[in-house]
Amino acid sequence: MTKRAQKDQQSSVAADPEQWSEQSKHSIAYHYKREYVDKPFKCWRCSAACTFTALDQKYTFEIKKASIDQRRKFCATCWSESNQLRAALSEYDVRWAAEKSGLRANKEFLTEWLELLTRWKQFAPYNHDIAKINMVRGLLKLE
């Protein structure tokens, strides 16, 4: 399909910049953005072809008040998996902070935590906690 044909098939929705977050209202887009149009993208993790639809943009920027500079990187499946993984990692961090002395020798806990930290690299290879990974490996004697 040509780019022109794709553009003809895109849906659009009127934008209401007055509904944006305060931060977004200070962007240059605030003065010019009058509509949202479907934006195709490729999932950063699985390479699936996706679309950030005009309706999704309206919801994201006007209801959820996300930054107008936000761009989609993940398909719905990968996004859901990354949120679940982030929540699980947060639970492990909280548990570690509360029970560190008892968990230092808990191989099951440490192995599961290391697996989660390793899986997280698939979603944010530029933002993983190398120090935490090395700490857990050291506690498991894997270094």
Side-chain angles (χ1 to χ4, degrees):
M1 182 180 296
T2 67
K3 286 191 177 196
R4 180 161 183 87
Q6 285 177 339
K7 187 160 179 74
D8 290 342
Q9 289 185 341
Q10 288 179 331
S11 66
S12 65
V13 175
D16 182 3
E18 290 301 320
Q19 300 303 314
W20 293 357
S21 69
E22 287 305 313
Q23 178 186 359
S24 293
K25 287 179 182 179
H26 294 289
S27 72
I28 191 77
Y30 175 77
H31 301 286
Y32 298 102
K33 188 76 158 175
R34 298 295 166 242
E35 70 177 358
Y36 304 109
V37 295
D38 291 351
K39 292 183 179 183
F41 68 97
K42 184 169 78 167
C43 178
W44 184 82
R45 180 171 178 255
C46 72
S47 299
C50 307
T51 302
F52 189 15
T53 67
L55 284 172
D56 285 343
Q57 291 172 61
K58 186 168 186 74
Y59 175 77
T60 300
F61 304 134
E62 296 180 17
I63 305 299
K64 289 178 65 181
K65 309 291 187 201
S67 171
I68 192 67
D69 297 327
Q70 177 184 344
R71 299 292 173 257
R72 291 287 164 98
K73 293 190 291 185
F74 296 124
C75 66
T77 301
C78 290
W79 178 253
S80 176
E81 189 175 339
S82 75
N83 284 335
Q84 291 170 358
L85 188 53
R86 186 180 295 116
L89 283 167
S90 178
E91 289 175 20
Y92 274 75
D93 287 341
V94 167
R95 187 168 171 208
W96 176 255
E99 306 171 42
K100 187 183 300 186
S101 60
L103 293 173
R104 293 178 70 83
N106 185 329
K107 298 280 189 212
E108 182 180 348
F109 172 84
L110 295 170
T111 301
E112 290 171 3
W113 195 13
L114 183 59
E115 171 61 27
L116 291 172
L117 290 165
T118 303
R119 281 183 47 216
W120 182 246
K121 288 181 181 182
Q122 297 173 356
F123 295 93
Y126 51 85
N127 193 21
H128 55 274
D129 194 337
I130 295 170
K132 193 178 293 177
I133 290 169
N134 288 337
M135 177 196 69
V136 175
R137 282 186 174 152
L139 291 168
L140 286 167
K141 310 288 190 261
L142 296 177
E143 291 188 278

